[in-house]
Amino acid sequence: MRALEERRSRWPRRIAWLVLFAVLASGAYLVGGFARFASDVAALSAPPTAAHADGIVVLTGGEQRLRKAIGLLREGEGRRLLISGVNRDTSAGAIARATGTEMALIDCCVDLDYEAMDTIGNAEATARWAKEHGFARLLLVTSDYHIPRSLLEMSGVSDPPAIVPYPVSPEKLWRRDGWPTRLGLRLLVTEYAKVLVVKARLATGVDLSTLSGSTHHRVAERSD
């Protein structure tokens, strides 16, 4: 009888140890995964000039991205530029003034997407735009920390074009020694959580976008 009671008393302890082990293992996995994510983001660099593409797409969120994308268009790195996720209150003229771009170039070669509300929408709009223009290869301009999630979302749309990432590194997010600032670290942690949600959604087919905290990238934002 006593032996039976002793065996029964061990089960709660065993379960507690198993739970503790699972928590520690999950924590180690998340920490290791974040370290790899942050390292991959820090190692991102702009492709060489030879990476000419059919078109260019920029995911809005700040003038730095827009200026870089328009500069690539001027340099002939793509025939047209799609600005995806533009605020409905932002006109083509406002973009021209904000980036110091002549309206002739905007009217000629720049398309504005007002429909995309998040990165999923950006990916869908990009795929439609590429198909409409017969573009098979695109330069994707967005902030460096946003590149991994953008590529994941692009892989989830039907018949996606080939994507060449063109990262833009926000100055306030990185120190000169290559380490993230406090703001940059917080943003990287948030973005890593979003990447995990996207991976889970793509793997299971379950829409977890409401848990990802995805935000609408807008021209009016200046932080990234």
Side-chain angles (χ1 to χ4, degrees), residues 86-146:
V86 181
N87 190 301
R88 290 185 180 277
D89 296 327
T90 302
S91 65
I95 292 175
R97 291 189 296 273
T99 59
T101 305
E102 63 275 15
M103 279 302 301
L105 181 62
I106 299 290
D107 293 337
C108 159
C109 307
V110 177
D111 300 308
L112 306 182
D113 160 43
Y114 289 98
E115 300 301 322
M117 299 296 291
D118 50 27
T119 307
I120 300 174
N122 292 144
E124 293 171 345
T126 297
R128 287 195 303 269
W129 181 75
K131 186 174 182 179
E132 289 171 1
H133 292 281
F135 292 161
R137 180 180 171 89
L138 301 179
L139 280 178
L140 174 64
V141 181
T142 189
S143 295
D144 50 10
Y145 63 86
H146 192 218

Side-chain angles (χ1 to χ4, degrees), residues 156-184:
V157 301
S158 60
D159 195 24
I163 298 294
V164 179
Y166 199 106
V168 175
S169 297
E171 295 179 358
K172 65 176 64 176
L173 301 183
W174 297 97
R175 303 188 324 201
R176 291 185 178 181
D177 59 7
W179 288 89
T181 62
R182 182 178 299 179
L183 173 63

Side-chain angles (χ1 to χ4, degrees), residues 19-34:
V19 170
L20 178 60
F21 175 79
V23 169
L24 293 176
S26 299
Y29 173 81
L30 291 174
V31 171
F34 172 73

Side-chain angles (χ1 to χ4, degrees), residues 21-72:
F21 175 79
V23 169
L24 293 176
S26 299
Y29 173 81
L30 291 174
V31 171
F34 172 73
R36 289 191 298 273
F37 171 77
S39 177
D40 290 344
V41 170
L44 286 172
S45 61
T49 305
H52 176 79
D54 299 317
I56 305 164
V57 59
V58 56
L59 310 186
T60 60
E63 290 182 11
Q64 187 179 6
R65 299 184 193 180
L66 292 173
R67 290 181 183 277
K68 175 56 67 175
I70 290 173
L72 291 169

